[in-house]
Amino acid sequence: MALAICRRFPGSFCGTPPCPALIKHHVNKKLPGQTCKDCVLTAKTISTDTRTTATLKLLKPLGYRAFCSPFAYSTARSVTYWNVGSYTQPRGQEPPEHSGFCHPAKKVENIHSISSSQRILTTSSAFPGLEFSRTSASKAGTLKPGSHRAAGVEEDIEIFDSFQDPRGFLRLRPEYQLHSYNRSETCQPLSVSEGELILHKVTVHQDNLQPQVIADYFCKLSSLPAEQHPVLLSSTSFALLCQLSVKNIQFFDVPELISILKAFVSLGIPHSHSVLGVYEIRFCSKVWEMSLDQLLLVADLWRNLGRRVPRFLKIFFSYLNLHWKDLSLSQLIHLIYIIGESRQAPQDLMQKLESLILKYIDLINLEEVGTICLGFFKSSSNLSEYVMRRIGDLACADMQHLSSYALVNILKMFRFTHVDHGNFMKQFGQIAPQRIPFLGVQGVMHLTLACSALRILDEGIMNAVAASLPPRVAYCRSKDVAKILWSFGTLNYKPPNTEEFYSSLINEIHRKMPEFSRYPEHLLTCLLGLAFSEYFPLELINFALSPGFVKLAQERSKFELTKELYTLDGTVGIECLDYRGNRLSAHLQQEGSEMLWNLARKDMCSKPEFLEALFLLENMLGGPQYIKHHMILPHTRSSDLEVQLDVNMKPLPFNKEAIPIKDEAKLRLKHVGVSITDDLMNQLLKGKSRECFQGEIASETEQRERELENAPIPLGTPLCNVADRLGAMEMAGPCPPACTQAPQVKLAIQLTNKNQYCYGSRDLLGLHNMKRRQLNRLGYRVVEVSHWEWLPLLKRTRLEKLMFLHEKVFTSAL
């Protein structure tokens, strides 16, 4: 194996992570004259042979410069049961290249290599005459390196077969053989000479072949040696046989149609072959004549062919809507698998299947539970909280014997449904650290993403993930890198090996730049996850905000990425003051700001606890001109209540937009406090006691409150305007001009909810922690009105609420 040495310096950073040993500003500078494009091309050209597996063990960067030295490191491990990778490769996305790569290191060491278990099936014999004589080793079938399907081969944990691994449940019960395709179930083996004879008969007797004979020929030809299949498919005689089958297709009965479809699977006919379209139409017309076992078998055969058959499945699902109660346990599990792999599911049918899951829940194997969760997850179908809790209970009863593959699938569904099962997550936290080193990186990604989606910060799990990834980061796809960085950033957690962990992943982003260009959403996910953790690779940010990439992100991605681009741009503007690279255009900034403000305003103004806090604060401070509900930092996706105080800690009337000019004449403004009357003046001059005076103030205030409560609010008034109108009715006059003096203190009052914190804790998640960090940099003091304080107060008296808010505002200002 040739050892390629490359020099690549993946970019500079700004920001100051808490630990002084972490990567800081201008780490990993490039060599003079070297561009980012050169780095990507260099990394791309050092790919090694597919039979070589290379990994890396990182060393800490030395000082502020990090040099790259690739070396190979064996990570092949043997497992005894399931290959535990759990992610199905999306269409169009290639697996990661197992190539040489660069990481910060002091020197090259531990150079190892391992040979793969690639096995080439060569031709042992050839048909004389006909096209079979063209057989060559170049057309021979191959097995994947390290495939655990090959006998006697050590299994690589990074190898995940997106077709075979999800089908493991079919080995759990003999009943599955009735309605699933088994490759070992073939016709009598056919010799070379017998195959030649059949093709000769097809050519000679093509006008006299009966439908039953045609079906029999397909079955027999599918039993030829595997190395002959590619040559058979390219032969003119086989093409003629396909034409004859199409010509006679209306004369085949259901078993014959199924046997021909089985032959197509055995022969490996391409899923785009024109003959398959004809057979799909024929099966569509036969759905209502078939049994459940036959329908499931046909659907399974289409899955084996890798062909999407939406028309057939639509009719099949219509059939099931009438016969769903007839499904047996094995049929139900297999159907859910089919639905998941087809990504096609009518929601009314899924609800019926959920009721069947409850019917069979006590008979379902734990591995089948994993299949159910994966099928519902892939088809974006929900399971009720009750069913998810039953599934969690089943898993908890014997989690030690639950395969990691099934465990990952169950976690996917908990992530999708956002159901919090405390006992499940507790047990998961106990067994996961021991399993993570033996999980493929795709499985590790899904475990980590599930924790972040459920807001569960388990340091044992996160530390195990961080320790296991650097040596095998080259196995990560762009999606894996993105989701892992996002998860650590979201949970706002830095592991003990932070420097090594982030160095390896940032270097891998550089190495996978061509892949990120195909999936731009993954690059933005990476950079936002890094920003949450105070890492800012400036060259990558400059590329992500470049006009070319912005255009690419808007045109090629299936996601709306304006919000992500705007969040990244706004963050860089505050936290990277020396950044001079690309920024978003003013138009896109405005578009992102309006988009996020509309979402935040709608969210906050639908919450009664927020509206009450806003109304009370307006009354306490003197009116809506003293407080402003807006997004101080629009790119952080949430709004705040801003209050400004002068040098004497008195509120400033800075909100000129509190009352629109056109509404001033329509409002009947009432005075705040007590009206000055002759009787009141006489009482004051006579020295009336303070207690009596305060009693009259309270009496008039209560009367004013009753008037406000009884004041009609026109139908159709937006909820977010109700508090503004109520506050405006109490003002002494039009909103006074904003005070010209600069505020001494600027407060950002935040009403938080539980979804802004890690589960069961008071630790802020990454986005909200980043927002507070940026508010502090801009000179704001953050006043937190937490949900655990404010929600219980909603049941208390108005005076208690005002006292609480008064203390929050004015104590924070000191």
Side-chain angles (χ1 to χ4, degrees):
M1 181 187 78
L3 176 64
I5 304 294
C6 79
R7 284 187 173 185
R8 178 168 61 83
F9 298 86
S12 56
F13 300 81
C14 79
T16 54
C19 178
L22 301 182
I23 302 173
K24 297 185 179 179
H25 187 51
H26 296 311
V27 175
N28 298 338
K29 292 184 179 179
K30 299 180 297 179
L31 288 175
Q34 187 179 21
T35 66
C36 186
K37 184 177 180 181
D38 295 332
C39 300
V40 174
L41 292 176
T42 303
K44 191 174 181 180
T45 58
I46 63 172
S47 299
T48 62
D49 189 273
T50 57
R51 290 171 294 178
T52 303
T53 304
T55 57
L56 175 69
K57 182 178 181 181
L58 290 170
L59 298 177
K60 295 182 179 180
L62 183 61
Y64 290 89
R65 296 291 297 272
F67 298 91
C68 303
S69 300
F71 60 89
Y73 180 80
S74 172
T75 56
R77 293 182 176 90
S78 176
V79 292
T80 58
Y81 187 38
W82 290 75
N83 186 17
V84 292
S86 63
Y87 178 78
T88 300
Q89 187 81 11
R91 291 183 178 271
Q93 182 167 347
E94 298 176 356
E97 299 175 356
H98 301 323
S99 59
F101 46 91
C102 294
H103 294 283
K106 293 180 182 179
K107 59 183 179 180
V108 177
E109 54 183 58
N110 295 340
I111 300 179
H112 298 285
S113 65
I114 58 171
S115 61
S116 73
S117 58
Q118 188 176 36
R119 182 177 64 178
I120 300 178
L121 300 176
T122 57
T123 306
S124 58
S125 60
F127 287 106
L130 300 181
E131 290 82 354
F132 288 92
S133 60
R134 302 174 187 171
T135 303
S136 65
S138 63
K139 293 183 179 180
T142 61
L143 292 179
K144 289 187 176 181
S147 172
H148 61 283
R149 277 84 191 165
V153 176
E154 186 182 44
E155 185 177 22
D156 187 340
I157 62 171
E158 302 299 345
I159 297 298
F160 172 67
D161 191 325
S162 61
F163 173 75
Q164 287 293 344
D165 287 1
R167 296 174 63 83
F169 73 96
L170 295 173
R171 301 191 296 268
L172 298 177
R173 299 176 188 270
E175 296 90 336
Y176 286 117
Q177 303 304 316
L178 300 175
H179 43 78
S180 65
Y181 174 69
N182 184 359
R183 289 186 178 272
S184 62
E185 180 185 316
T186 59
C187 302
Q188 193 73 18
L190 194 71
S191 66
V192 173
S193 59
E194 289 172 327
E196 179 185 3
L197 180 60
I198 288 175
L199 291 178
H200 178 72
K201 289 180 180 179
V202 169
T203 305
V204 174
H205 305 292
Q206 55 182 293
D207 296 330
N208 300 316
L209 291 179
Q210 297 297 315
Q212 298 83 353
V213 175
I214 295 174
D216 184 58
Y217 282 175
F218 273 112
C219 179
K220 289 180 177 178
L221 288 173
S222 68
S223 300
L224 283 168
E227 61 269 16
Q228 303 298 338
H229 291 173
V231 180
L232 173 65
L233 295 179
S234 63
S235 69
T236 56
S237 300
F238 183 78
L240 177 60
L241 183 62
C242 290
Q243 291 174 6
L244 292 174
S245 74
V246 170
K247 183 179 179 180
N248 292 275
I249 195 169
Q250 68 271 22
F251 300 114
F252 293 128
D253 58 22
V254 170
E256 289 169 343
L257 287 170
I258 292 176
S259 68
I260 294 174
L261 200 59
K262 283 184 177 180
F264 289 158
V265 175
S266 298
L267 292 170
I269 189 169
H271 64 81
S272 58
H273 199 290
S274 58
V275 72
L276 296 181
V278 180
Y279 274 85
E280 180 187 356
I281 294 173
R282 186 58 180 166
F283 275 110
C284 287
S285 65
K286 289 286 188 179
V287 167
W288 296 93
E289 302 175 22
M290 299 166 68
S291 67
L292 280 171
D293 280 344
Q294 288 176 326
L295 287 167
L296 284 169
L297 175 57
V298 170
D300 198 55
L301 289 168
W302 288 121
R303 170 61 186 147
N304 276 267
L305 285 166
R307 182 180 176 92
R308 297 181 63 86
V309 284
R311 289 176 295 178
F312 172 78
L313 290 177
K314 184 177 181 181
I315 301 172
F316 181 22
F317 294 154
S318 297
Y319 176 93
L320 284 169
N321 265 314
L322 297 177
H323 299 89
W324 62 276
K325 291 184 179 179
D326 300 330
L327 288 167
S328 66
L329 173 57
S330 65
Q331 289 172 339
L332 172 65
I333 305 298
H334 194 190
L335 173 62
I336 293 173
Y337 159 78
I338 298 271
I339 289 173
E341 296 304 311
S342 67
R343 310 307 203 268
Q344 185 176 342
Q347 292 306 308
D348 56 340
L349 175 62
M350 300 307 290
Q351 292 175 3
K352 295 173 181 176
L353 297 184
E354 181 178 348
S355 65
L356 280 181
I357 292 172
L358 283 175
K359 174 183 176 182
Y360 294 120
I361 193 71
D362 294 326
L363 303 175
I364 298 176
N365 183 285
L366 281 179
E367 302 304 320
E368 291 172 327
V369 170
T371 301
I372 290 172
C373 289
L374 185 62
F376 272 77
F377 176 81
K378 285 185 175 181
S379 61
S380 299
S381 303
N382 212 349
L383 282 171
S384 67
E385 181 178 350
Y386 177 75
V387 172
M388 288 307 302
R389 295 201 177 280
R390 289 294 303 274
I391 288 175
D393 293 341
L394 282 176
C396 289
D398 196 17
M399 192 177 292
Q400 289 291 342
H401 297 94
L402 178 66
S403 74
S404 297
Y405 180 76
L407 181 61
V408 168
N409 292 336
I410 294 173
L411 276 168
K412 286 181 182 179
M413 204 58 200
F414 273 120
R415 180 182 106 210
F416 182 77
T417 57
H418 286 276
V419 174
D420 55 327
H421 193 295
N423 191 25
F424 177 88
M425 295 309 300
K426 181 180 179 181
Q427 289 196 36
F428 167 67
Q430 293 172 352
I431 70 170
Q434 290 77 36
R435 294 198 183 193
I436 285 171
F438 305 99
L439 278 174
V441 291
Q442 294 182 35
V444 172
M445 179 272 288
H446 279 292
L447 295 185
T448 313
L449 187 59
C451 289
S452 67
L454 296 171
R455 301 180 291 109
I456 294 176
L457 175 56
D458 187 305
E459 294 189 5
I461 296 175
M462 304 304 285
N463 291 344
V465 170
S468 71
L469 276 179
R472 49 189 177 135
V473 69
Y475 289 106
C476 292
R477 303 160 302 165
S478 62
K479 180 175 182 176
D480 300 324
V481 176
K483 298 301 184 182
I484 289 169
L485 285 173
W486 173 266
S487 298
F488 274 80
T490 295
L491 292 173
N492 194 25
Y493 182 72
K494 291 184 172 65
N497 64 331
T498 294
E499 187 174 342
E500 178 190 34
F501 174 71
Y502 281 102
S503 295
S504 63
L505 289 173
I506 291 171
N507 288 339
E508 194 62 21
I509 296 175
H510 281 274
R511 196 180 75 86
K512 283 187 165 56
M513 286 305 290
E515 189 175 336
F516 282 110
S517 295
R518 294 171 55 196
Y519 303 96
E521 64 274 11
H522 294 164
L523 179 59
L524 294 177
T525 301
C526 285
L527 296 178
L528 289 177
L530 287 167
F532 295 164
S533 302
E534 296 183 81
Y535 284 88
F536 301 95
L538 298 183
E539 288 184 6
L540 294 174
I541 291 171
N542 184 50
F543 175 76
L545 296 179
S546 64
F549 184 83
V550 171
K551 182 180 180 181
L552 180 74
Q554 292 180 319
E555 293 178 354
R556 292 191 58 179
S557 177
K558 62 181 179 179
F559 303 100
E560 170 55 58
L561 299 178
T562 303
K563 299 190 297 295
E564 284 69 26
L565 288 165
Y566 182 54
T567 298
L568 179 63
D569 180 78
T571 295
V572 170
I574 295 175
E575 301 211 42
C576 298
L577 299 180
D578 56 347
Y579 174 72
R580 298 295 181 267
N582 290 308
R583 296 292 301 273
L584 282 188
S585 65
H587 170 72
L588 273 180
Q589 289 181 358
Q590 180 66 23
E591 182 181 335
S593 177
E594 291 176 357
M595 186 184 302
L596 291 172
W597 169 235
N598 290 334
L599 293 174
R601 179 173 55 184
K602 182 179 179 180
D603 176 55
M604 295 305 292
C605 293
S606 65
K607 298 178 178 179
E609 64 272 18
F610 170 79
L611 294 176
E612 182 164 3
L614 176 59
F615 175 61
L616 291 173
L617 283 168
E618 286 178 351
N619 289 328
M620 183 182 76
L621 297 172
Q625 70 272 29
Y626 293 95
I627 189 170
K628 185 176 183 179
H629 175 216
H630 69 132
M631 300 179 80
I632 301 174
L633 301 177
H635 64 279
T636 58
R637 310 187 182 196
S638 57
S639 59
D640 306 286
L641 297 173
E642 182 175 357
V643 172
Q644 297 184 4
L645 305 177
D646 62 15
V647 292
N648 298 316
M649 296 296 108
K650 301 294 184 182
L652 291 173
F654 72 101
N655 186 10
K656 294 181 180 180
E657 302 174 357
I659 301 179
I661 297 176
K662 62 181 181 179
D663 290 343
E664 288 184 15
K666 300 178 182 179
L667 295 175
R668 295 182 178 180
L669 304 176
K670 289 181 176 289
H671 293 283
V672 177
V674 180
S675 301
I676 304 298
T677 63
D678 292 339
D679 292 339
L680 179 58
M681 291 300 297
N682 290 333
Q683 292 173 0
L684 291 173
L685 292 174
K686 293 179 180 178
K688 189 169 182 178
S689 67
R690 177 172 178 173
E691 289 77 5
C692 182
F693 177 66
Q694 289 180 340
E696 292 191 8
I697 292 178
S699 176
E700 186 163 343
T701 301
E702 290 175 3
Q703 181 181 357
R704 174 169 49 83
E705 290 176 4
R706 285 193 296 270
E707 293 174 0
L708 289 174
E709 291 173 358
N710 296 328
I713 298 175
L715 293 176
T717 302
L719 284 175
C720 55
N721 292 334
V722 172
D724 293 339
R725 291 181 180 275
L726 290 177
M729 293 174 67
E730 292 189 299
M731 291 174 54
C735 181
C739 188
T740 57
Q741 68 179 104
Q744 178 71 17
V745 178
K746 293 187 297 183
L747 302 179
I749 304 174
Q750 298 181 350
L751 272 79
T752 64
N753 59 73
K754 66 177 183 178
N755 292 328
Q756 297 178 2
Y757 301 87
C758 292
Y759 182 82
S761 76
R762 298 183 180 181
D763 299 323
L764 280 171
L765 296 176
L767 174 63
H768 307 286
N769 182 71
M770 183 182 76
K771 176 182 177 179
R772 294 196 182 182
R773 188 172 72 228
Q774 294 177 7
L775 285 171
N776 290 331
R777 291 194 179 196
L778 294 180
Y780 282 88
R781 294 187 188 178
V782 177
V783 178
E784 180 181 10
V785 180
S786 60
H787 65 279
W788 59 82
E789 294 175 310
W790 181 242
L791 293 181
L793 274 175
L794 295 179
K795 301 177 182 179
R796 309 300 291 271
T797 64
R798 173 188 174 90
L799 179 59
E800 288 176 296
K801 298 172 192 174
L802 287 171
M803 289 174 61
F804 171 80
L805 293 174
H806 186 278
E807 182 180 1
K808 281 286 183 181
V809 170
F810 293 101
T811 302
S812 301
L814 297 177

